[in-house]
Amino acid sequence: MKLSVVIVNYNVRYFLEQCLLSVEKAMNGLDVEVLVVDNNSVDGSVAMVESRFPWVRLIANKENTGFSKANNQAMRIAGGEYILLLNPDTVVEEDTFRKVIVFMDEHPDAGGLGVKMVDGKGIFLPESKRGLPTPAVSFYKIFGISRLFPKSEIFNRYHLGHLSKNEVHEIEILSGAFMLMRKKTLDQVGLLDEAFFMYGEDIDLSWRIIQGGWKNYYFPHTSIIHYKGESTKKGSLNYVFVFYNAMVIFARKHFSLKHAALFSFFIHTAIWLRALVAVLNRFVRKMILPLMDAALVLIGLFLIKNFYASAQHKIYDDSLVTYSFIVNVIIWVLSCWIGGAYDKPFKPQRVFKPVLIGSAVILIGYSLLPESMRFSRAIILLGAGIALLAFFLSRLIVNLISSGRAGFSDAGPKRIAIVGKPEEVERVVRLLSQLQQQPSFAASIAPDNSAVTGYTGTVAQLSEIVRVHNIEQVIFCARDLTSSDIISNMSSIAEQEIEFKIAPPESLYIIGSGSIETSADAFMLDVNSVSLPHNKRLKRIFDVLFSICALGLFPFLLFVVNQPIGLLKNIVFVLIGKKTWVGYSPVHKGNNGLPKLKPGVVWPSIRQDTSQNDNSRKMDVLYAKDYRFMLDLSLVYKARRFLGN
């Protein structure tokens, strides 16, 4: 056996499938085995591998053992002369395995090897080549000095910025996303240190390879796509704590006590600074638009009040008007938040409907007030129009400030180009239509120069087509292009900030963008309506409101519910977020590939024979696809006898 490919998977079924499709092509003509270790995924990954890739050696763990332990499980039984640790969120070129094996055969001093990596937007990932994170190197990285001097050998040694990304180099640290190692080397220096649950284990093993007398190489003559969650994952507090604490473990293991203490000080300082920045950044990003909306509406209301008072020769109680306006603004903003006006992409109906509903609530409340607290129904009606204008104006301002990356630019259908043969182009267009992603303009691009009739142009003209037709998104049909061609074309126009996606053959999904963490970048046939942000809010609001109502009506529900004490427990569990009133059928393990939900008190098929797995699965899928606030109310009413189960 020449090569053993080890892939550890955890709840990234669609990325894993695309990865294995590329691996299957790269194995052609080589003596390769593939081992997939699944860390107790609940998204149907195991079933997918068993059905679509029966040639894979699958290890299905019953718990999430972590990255290091799972990789070691496979490496201990791997029979290859070389062992490749490969992330499931990667795509390899057709000749990647052949090229790296030849290089390792020709360099007997090589213990490990990494390759050039690009993200899902075709942008080079600097962690393809890294230096040892000594205290000084880490200091320059953590405090942003390396960004100021990206080509400096001293200040950007973390990413070895002084070394060309297009030449072979000896490096110190390999990336765990693609880490090729000689089995003989691993027998000498050992496997991954299982003290690292996630992050840092690749640095530790890379350094032990060098300490063992071997060399690590950066090999740029083949490339892979790595859909890493840079924007979302690295902005999270969990990532900050887990990653930097892994660095502390590494320092204590490999540095002197003095250096380890200094390193630990820098790391913990960085943890709290990054945590503070992450919290502030998240707060500002979440609140800037609602605060802007509130300010604009409030200003508009006072302008309308002054104009109306002058025109009608009336005098209003300023304190009464001020309090009334503040309450009105809160109702409008809250209504828009519930209605999804602050979700991306921006859609006009997410403002119109909530503002109208909020205005209705304000008018109803106004009519119930005593005469002494009323001042002008006309100002409220005019205020509704001001609120609509303010909400659109604020989004226009944010859109301009963000250079078109927010607001109206995301609103309508996109202008896309599909690279592939006619049958695949047609299939992708149908799929987009089913996914409710109908493009405003679709250019079909020939994957080669053999036939151009009926096409906008050829793939060689991709850059010009993107520029001339203002293309926002390019979809590559993986059946008609090699992974090498896809990666090459992505990299060639990466600076144009285009979204790239890949449509695997015979699959009902399209995957793309630079992040594995952004669900909006993965289009699946299951619309996953229940996972949309505004539906998540509506579902949580329903859970809380129904729990409060059930608590108030408990004396009457005693005669309706089979197990009253169980109902009380369920009310508490739903209120604290441990359960939801309506979930998926418990006959399935986990969520069975559907959007994640908390355990349900009741489920769509609860009144039917729970042994009918296929039927309950279909009803769960329909619930996930077509979620509505009233659907939960209807299901809870129909299953009212079981609310205490």
Side-chain angles (χ1 to χ4, degrees), residues 348-603:
Q349 62 267 30
R350 292 181 182 173
V351 169
F352 279 118
K353 190 175 179 180
V355 168
L356 292 177
I357 293 174
S359 300
V361 170
I362 291 170
L363 287 170
I364 292 171
Y366 180 86
S367 66
L368 297 176
L369 292 173
E371 192 68 35
S372 60
M373 297 183 67
R374 302 180 193 175
F375 58 93
S376 174
R377 186 177 281 104
I379 291 178
I380 294 176
L381 291 172
L382 290 171
I386 290 294
L388 278 174
L389 289 175
F391 282 119
F392 281 101
L393 179 60
S394 62
R395 279 148 186 78
L396 182 60
I397 293 171
V398 171
N399 189 58
L400 292 172
I401 293 173
S402 62
S403 302
R405 289 190 294 270
F408 291 100
S409 64
D410 292 325
K414 294 183 180 294
R415 298 176 65 84
I416 69 170
I418 306 173
V419 185
K421 294 181 179 178
E423 316 88 74
E424 276 295 276
V425 171
E426 185 179 344
R427 183 181 75 86
V428 170
V429 170
R430 283 200 310 270
L431 180 57
L432 289 172
S433 178
Q434 290 173 311
L435 295 167
Q436 301 178 6
Q437 298 286 337
Q438 191 70 38
S440 62
F441 173 81
S444 57
I445 300 177
D448 51 45
N449 296 319
S450 60
V452 295
T453 304
Y455 289 102
T456 306
T458 69
V459 72
Q461 301 169 298
L462 182 59
S463 180
E464 284 297 297
I465 293 171
V466 166
R467 182 181 62 82
V468 171
H469 294 283
N470 297 318
I471 298 298
E472 301 170 84
Q473 186 180 102
V474 177
I475 300 176
F476 296 100
C477 299
R479 194 196 72 174
D480 302 327
L481 289 97
T482 65
S483 298
S484 303
D485 288 338
I486 293 173
I487 294 171
S488 174
N489 281 291
M490 286 169 54
S491 299
S492 68
I493 57 173
E495 68 279 359
Q496 298 191 39
E497 296 188 0
I498 303 298
E499 291 182 28
F500 296 106
K501 299 189 184 295
I502 299 175
E506 301 177 7
S507 292
L508 299 177
Y509 64 90
I510 302 171
I511 282 180
S513 184
S515 171
I516 191 174
E517 304 292 329
T518 310
S519 61
D521 293 327
F523 297 158
M524 272 72 80
L525 185 59
D526 289 338
V527 177
N528 293 349
S529 175
V530 75
S531 67
L532 294 176
H534 63 279
N535 278 338
K536 286 182 179 179
R537 284 194 296 272
L538 287 175
K539 187 166 179 59
R540 183 58 185 157
I541 289 170
F542 172 83
D543 282 345
V544 173
L545 290 179
F546 186 80
S547 297
I548 294 172
C549 291
L551 200 57
L553 296 172
F554 185 75
F556 302 99
L557 293 175
L558 285 171
F559 304 99
V560 177
V561 178
N562 289 341
Q563 301 178 41
I565 300 301
L567 173 61
L568 281 176
K569 290 181 180 178
N570 286 334
I571 290 172
V572 173
F573 284 139
V574 171
L575 284 174
I576 64 176
K578 294 291 186 181
K579 285 186 176 183
T580 182
W581 284 111
V582 181
Y584 300 132
S585 171
V587 299
H588 306 298
K589 288 186 177 180
N591 294 326
N592 204 22
L594 295 174
K596 188 175 181 180
L597 288 180
K598 295 181 178 68
V601 176
V602 298
W603 49 92

Side-chain angles (χ1 to χ4, degrees), residues 59-123:
I59 302 172
N61 288 332
K62 299 303 180 184
E63 61 179 350
N64 184 1
T65 61
F67 184 79
S68 298
K69 284 186 178 181
N71 272 299
N72 287 347
Q73 274 182 272
M75 286 194 284
R76 289 189 181 101
I77 62 174
E81 179 183 347
Y82 302 112
I83 295 179
L84 171 64
L85 304 187
L86 185 67
N87 271 22
D89 57 327
T90 57
V91 176
V92 300
E93 295 181 339
E94 284 75 9
D95 58 359
T96 292
F97 295 167
R98 190 177 301 277
K99 284 184 175 179
V100 296
I101 288 173
V102 168
F103 183 88
M104 294 292 282
D105 285 344
E106 293 176 350
H107 294 76
D109 61 343
L113 178 142
V115 298
K116 180 192 285 188
M117 300 188 295
V118 299
D119 67 12
K121 296 179 180 178
I123 299 171

